[in-house]
Amino acid sequence: MTLRHVSHVQSDGGGEGRDSGALSPSAVLPGLDEEQLRLLRRVGREWGRVSAPEAWHRALPVDSDLGRFPSPAEIQPVGWGRLVSVSPLGGRPPAPGEAAGELPPGRLGRFGYHVRRVVLGAALKSTAIAQERMRKLVALPVLSADALSSVAYGPEAMLAVLVLGGAAGLACSVPIAATIAFLMLAVGVSYRQTIRAYPHGGGSYIVASDNLGRVPGLIAAAGLMTDYILTVAVSIASGVAAITSAVPSLATDAVPIGVGVIALLLAGNLRGIRQAGALFAAPTYAFIIAVFALVTVGLVDAAGRGFHPTAAPHLNATESVGVLLVTRAFASGATAMTGIEAISNAVPAFEPVEWRNARTTLTWMIGLLIALFAGTIAMVRLDGVVPGTQETVLSQLAHHSFGSGPLYALTQAATAAVLLLAANTAYNDFPRVLFLLARDRHAPQLFLRLGDRLAFSNGIILLTIAATLVYVAFNGTTASLIPLYAVGVFLAFTLSQAGMVVHWWRLRDRHWRKSLFFNATGALLSAVVFLTAGLTKFTEGAWVAVLAVGLFLVVTMRIRHHYETVGKALRLHPHAIELPTPTLPARPGPDAAPSAATTPQSPTALPDARTEEEDEETPQEIRHLSVVPIAAMDLAGMRALAYAASLHQPVLALHVSPEEDEAERFRQYWTLWGDHLPLEVVVSPYRAIVAPLVHYIEALHAKRPDLTVTVIVPEIVTVRRRYRLLHSRIAPRLRHALRPLPKIVITTVPFHV
Amino acid sequence: MTLRHVSHVQSDGGGEGRDSGALSPSAVLPGLDEEQLRLLRRVGREWGRVSAPEAWHRALPVDSDLGRFPSPAEIQPVGWGRLVSVSPLGGRPPAPGEAAGELPPGRLGRFGYHVRRVVLGAALKSTAIAQERMRKLVALPVLSADALSSVAYGPEAMLAVLVLGGAAGLACSVPIAATIAFLMLAVGVSYRQTIRAYPHGGGSYIVASDNLGRVPGLIAAAGLMTDYILTVAVSIASGVAAITSAVPSLATDAVPIGVGVIALLLAGNLRGIRQAGALFAAPTYAFIIAVFALVTVGLVDAAGRGFHPTAAPHLNATESVGVLLVTRAFASGATAMTGIEAISNAVPAFEPVEWRNARTTLTWMIGLLIALFAGTIAMVRLDGVVPGTQETVLSQLAHHSFGSGPLYALTQAATAAVLLLAANTAYNDFPRVLFLLARDRHAPQLFLRLGDRLAFSNGIILLTIAATLVYVAFNGTTASLIPLYAVGVFLAFTLSQAGMVVHWWRLRDRHWRKSLFFNATGALLSAVVFLTAGLTKFTEGAWVAVLAVGLFLVVTMRIRHHYETVGKALRLHPHAIELPTPTLPARPGPDAAPSAATTPQSPTALPDARTEEEDEETPQEIRHLSVVPIAAMDLAGMRALAYAASLHQPVLALHVSPEEDEAERFRQYWTLWGDHLPLEVVVSPYRAIVAPLVHYIEALHAKRPDLTVTVIVPEIVTVRRRYRLLHSRIAPRLRHALRPLPKIVITTVPFHV
């Protein structure tokens, strides 16, 4: 049989055609290669030697076709949510609030359920994520929030460094800003090429791994993740600073306010906010309008003064204005560029033709960014503004232009709102990077998982924890966070654009030289900024980023190694299968008809020494022994015994008794019952149950390592959750104690009360 | 068959002959009554109709007798520990540090293991608690630590109230003290009677439940537990106060020091300190000697002054000296009596004849208590000492008698040590009360359990948490804790002695009238103190105790109700068993010999409507269906399928696929393998695995509620613990999601990597 026609799904983790920035889940199920298929066929033949498939198929007591999930095409988004209801199996749509088995009885349980549902929203069991498209005028504000909001802290960071050089330092602000503007242009044009090359979305990780190799890809991922964590931290810090500039009395509570906002983001993202609606377009537009208005008014005022810059207040220069100072200021100011890659990440969200629309939007964004940035710097120069700790630079400019009236308040509010939106963008992208890493088995598989509300809960939680830690550790001040931020962002930029260079070099389709030139320029400049930021600000915090990247590399490589080891262990491998003779021993139980009891042979140990490994691939290789720990002759115990016996495998009942008298009594009960199954009583002092059980099973296993021992444990299940504390959790404790032993299977037979 | 000769073990939770203050574990395994025995016999006959026990016994592939634990008689204590090594099954004694399966590989795992072992000691898998006996001269200090140490805070509490009445108030101290001394005598004599009546140990809970009924018993238990929690809190607070009196610079850190000491007690008790050695006798003797010396020196000094009391410093009376003040002072001072019941609790620990030795020791203790208490009050009067916040009363007395030299330091050290010992006594007794409550099913069964080091870990932890909360909430000051303390202690006293009155009334053996009189007196006086303390100090904190007792009652009654419900549900009950015709369908699999494939009949649903209940008691009532969720055709999946098939029950394989293409590919693999088992593929978008699985199984269950569905899940087990995060925990999540459904059994088949 050939499998050619489905070969395009057969991605074995290689690099072929992995243009998937999209959430394509099939790649996590790698296909089988030729050798495995051959072995599979062979194993199947062994199965067929002693059983007839038709018997198995006919024996099925129920029709297994119970309904299907609808196809993705049938899914339409509704309202604010980006999630749609999908009928569960059986065709019946879910009633509102109905979640099978999730509505606990009892008032307290219901109260807790309602609290969870209010905070998190209804649990979505049968839903899917609708693919959404955005018009350019909506995509622009949503996706450029990160980049444009950087204007709130980028110039300030630059000025904070220059101010150390006194008036002479401040005089350099315009040339440095011009350089940064040029950098924005170069990188923007560079990313236009990326959009063309990766129409399904090309983040730094994908581009770098595809083109530069695994380790550069991981380094890019590390840079990205640092980028996102710090986007959250810096945006929140900056937003809180905007608020405390307007309301100085809140300044002492800055850190708790920031943590509260992060918590809000957490809850909202766990709910699965859909970030594509018009609601999210408003803050960015408001911010753009506000800053433009600010700049316009300021220019008009300055025109009235004949464009003479207002003298800045007298400053003491604490450092000399040299190359070091200038480059540090440059690196800090370059953080105004963070967020440029948002559009190239989200190309599939545009309306067709996706890449053209994305390029256009990117161009608009770059234009706006340069305009806002240049305008801000110009106003700073003209108004003689100096960065301070009480008030942000933007706030001071707003004061100059608008006074202290409602316009000023609106500006601050718009700044805070756009920064919140920028942080939210990080909440979208960070889990995606983790998803991609997990798909390539560099991160734990749990990051592939969609949570209750079909959001990447694990990634969201991890981002929240990391951002909160960073925010609190640096005490919520933007200035301390900027060095880390610059390093992470420009690392990702450099590797992404370098990867594009390699891409064009390999591909050489039309216009490749032009594209290569642009990408190369961007890569070079980004590398300069990266090195600058890393070296000059090393002691100020950049060392943390370097350390984090190194640690990240080690961890991901180890994770990948582990998964590869597991994958190897899971491969079917050829081994000699010794089969017992065709006349198999008759099993005990109902098949031994009441008349003649056939003498069963005791199974002999396999000749080969492979008794410890768990590589049985056919049913006839497995030799069973069921052990039923039974405490009392009650209904739960009877049920477990009946279950064990109904499997027609050898059964041993095991009773752990605290003292001899009780053991004797139990034996009498057993005899009264009819002594149907072999019973073993272990007398163990002082009511320790798990330890003697584990010892016994270990001893059994040591005696007969070829047997697969199934421990069948009755478990009492209470309706109300709080009563669970009242019953001993023997099954989990047994499981935990027996975990290291191979070939011990634990079955839990529930008894509902 | 009669079971008379083991009837003495057959305690069905009634009150017959429950003289067990001893840790008798058999009582938790209640026997079966006549009706249950009859049903058991009947169920057994049903089993016998279709299977022959000999076949089951012969089919056992291994000899089940693998060794025994040694009998309790063979156990001898060694060294400081009260725990002894016992050879595990198989006769081989455990090697040092060897704990099966507990030594994880890898350096980090080993480090953690060693840290735990250093803090907690070696895990004891095969040990038992040795029963110890104490000589009177050792028992006296160990068991009277609680009572005698109360002298450190009792007088101070009384004086703290009296001082509000100024000098007139202080003048009442001697009459009030005389009353308290008389109370001590009365209660002491009363407890001598209790010892005679309960030679196996009679705590308030046992005495009250036995004689007064269940609810009074529970109230007594609540009082006891409050008593113990506050013993820890007050003793620690008082001990820390003794230390800060000597070293005033530590006064600001009083609360953390106290919490640290409680943590020390926690660790020590979890390790299983044996509190019977000479080491523990020393602190009490040192304290006794110190206080006697203090009093003697003081008396000598006073004799030199002609016994004229030194004038106390001028005091402003803030309250009038009336009945209220006096009774409040009396109630506070009565806390000097706490701990008297310690000896009657621990009668079995004495050497034979236990009760006589216990009575003698109790007499000595009462004598010492009265002497120390009276001496302290006399010195307070003679030296004109006034309670203050900087220094305890005892410390001031020590200063007066000893100056500030080493004798003073020794006194403070002895005080602190004896208070520590008193707190430790609470750590012994609190878990015992919980054990007794759990034995009577008023508390969760987990309090019956002995932990790693054969200590009642759960009770110890609960006590620590409660005591720490109380200590921190009241800011570590003794004065605030005293009202709560008094209420709890005297509630237990009252109910205990009232129970004794009823006991004598019913029993009427020799000297019953005398004993009844003494007990009645003690009960009356204790009741007076209880009401006094409760009413006069209601607003000062006694309301907490009242609330706690009420809450305790409610909780324990609910717990008992739940256990009774469970017990009822677990009883075997008669029901009509419809059996299929004797010619049972042939099972699919190897028994269907390669030649003829018999057509199996599909099992019909039982005529009666009881398809939802889990009360199958015979194997033939159980109809199986195994469902194997399989993700990929690898070794783990093959093993799970082989395991399922080897059980000879109908099997359905279930594959959850993220998209149609992958589903098609998987079906092809299945066909390549030979399509031996029925396969159902569920296409579920975005890699949600658990939700579709649960839905499918729910739908199956709804369609055929008579089937017992066994879900056989392959689980990857890694050697190193940290890698466990890397693998999805489907089995626990499935278990949690399927928990509310009856008749769903989950089996986990491990695959070790």
Side-chain angles (χ1 to χ4, degrees), chain A residues 165-416:
Chain A
L170 281 182
C172 301
S173 63
V174 172
I176 295 177
T179 321
I180 293 176
F182 173 71
L183 186 61
M184 288 176 182
L185 193 63
V187 171
V189 170
S190 168
Y191 268 90
R192 278 173 58 103
Q193 315 310 315
T194 308
I195 286 175
R196 181 161 79 86
Y198 283 86
H200 291 279
S204 307
Y205 172 65
I206 294 175
V207 173
S209 336
D210 267 3
N211 297 298
L212 297 175
R214 186 190 305 179
V215 173
L218 288 175
I219 298 177
L224 267 184
M225 287 169 68
T226 318
D227 176 2
Y228 292 136
I229 294 173
L230 282 154
T231 298
V232 175
V234 172
S235 300
I236 298 297
S238 196
V240 169
I243 295 174
T244 58
S245 303
V247 187
S249 54
L250 291 175
T252 46
D253 297 322
V255 173
I257 292 177
V259 173
V261 173
I262 294 178
L264 214 72
L265 279 173
L266 171 69
N269 277 284
L270 283 179
R271 277 191 82 115
I273 301 174
R274 184 178 64 144
Q275 188 171 317
L279 180 70
F280 291 86
T284 317
Y285 279 133
F287 179 72
I288 294 172
I289 292 170
V291 176
F292 268 135
L294 186 158
V295 170
T296 311
V297 170
L299 285 176
V300 166
D301 284 348
R305 291 196 306 267
F307 288 110
H308 285 145
T310 315
H314 179 67
L315 300 155
N316 294 323
T318 52
E319 295 186 30
S320 62
V321 178
V323 173
L324 197 63
L325 189 81
V326 167
T327 44
R328 276 166 55 201
F330 174 68
S332 291
T335 57
M337 287 178 54
T338 59
I340 285 183
E341 77 285 356
I343 291 183
S344 62
N345 278 349
V347 177
F350 284 85
E351 288 179 344
V353 177
E354 292 90 352
W355 67 271
R356 275 196 207 279
N357 289 329
R359 282 179 92 167
T360 316
T361 315
L362 179 62
T363 313
W364 293 350
M365 177 176 94
I366 296 296
L368 280 170
L369 182 59
I370 293 176
L372 292 177
F373 181 73
T376 310
I377 294 296
M379 289 320 305
V380 163
R381 193 80 185 112
L382 286 175
D383 281 357
V385 165
V386 162
T389 50
Q390 312 294 16
E391 223 184 320
T392 64
V393 163
L394 209 55
S395 165
Q396 296 182 45
L397 291 177
H399 268 308
H400 283 253
S401 294
F402 297 142
S404 294
L407 280 177
Y408 167 78
L410 274 173
T411 308
Q412 295 307 96
T415 309

Side-chain angles (χ1 to χ4, degrees), chain A residues 693-714:
Chain A
L693 273 178
V694 171
H695 277 175
Y696 189 86
I697 292 172
E698 284 174 0
L700 258 185
H701 178 73
K703 210 164 176 180
R704 286 292 303 268
D706 60 307
L707 289 180
T708 296
V709 176
T710 303
V711 183
I712 298 179
V713 186

Side-chain angles (χ1 to χ4, degrees), chain A residues 520-599:
Chain A
T521 315
L524 199 63
L525 291 173
S526 303
V528 166
V529 180
F530 165 63
L531 288 169
T532 311
L535 292 172
T536 59
K537 293 175 167 301
F538 194 78
T539 49
E540 290 172 40
W543 62 273
V544 175
V546 173
L547 198 69
V549 170
L551 206 67
F552 181 83
L553 262 180
V554 168
V555 167
T556 49
M557 299 290 271
R558 294 286 285 272
I559 291 177
R560 168 93 178 203
H561 176 75
H562 171 79
Y563 279 131
E564 284 184 340
T565 312
V566 170
K568 264 202 213 66
L570 283 174
R571 287 172 70 85
L572 302 169
H573 51 262
H575 63 271
I577 302 170
E578 291 278 339
L579 289 175
T581 56
T583 57
L584 291 159
R587 300 268 180 273
D591 297 294
S595 48
T598 336
T599 316

Side-chain angles (χ1 to χ4, degrees), chain A residues 3 26 563 659 668 696 726, chain B residues 3 26 64 563 659 668 726:
Chain A
L3 296 169
S26 295
Y563 279 131
E659 42 183 38
Q668 290 183 351
Y696 189 86
L726 299 181
Chain B
L3 297 168
S26 295
S64 63
Y563 279 131
E659 41 181 40
Q668 291 183 352
L726 299 181

Side-chain angles (χ1 to χ4, degrees), chain B residues 83 96-97 99 113 116-118 120-125 271 452-453:
Chain B
L83 307 152
Y113 172 78
R116 276 200 326 276
R117 290 288 79 93
V118 162
L120 288 184
L124 301 159
K125 289 205 171 200
R271 276 192 81 114
D452 234 9
R453 296 277 301 173

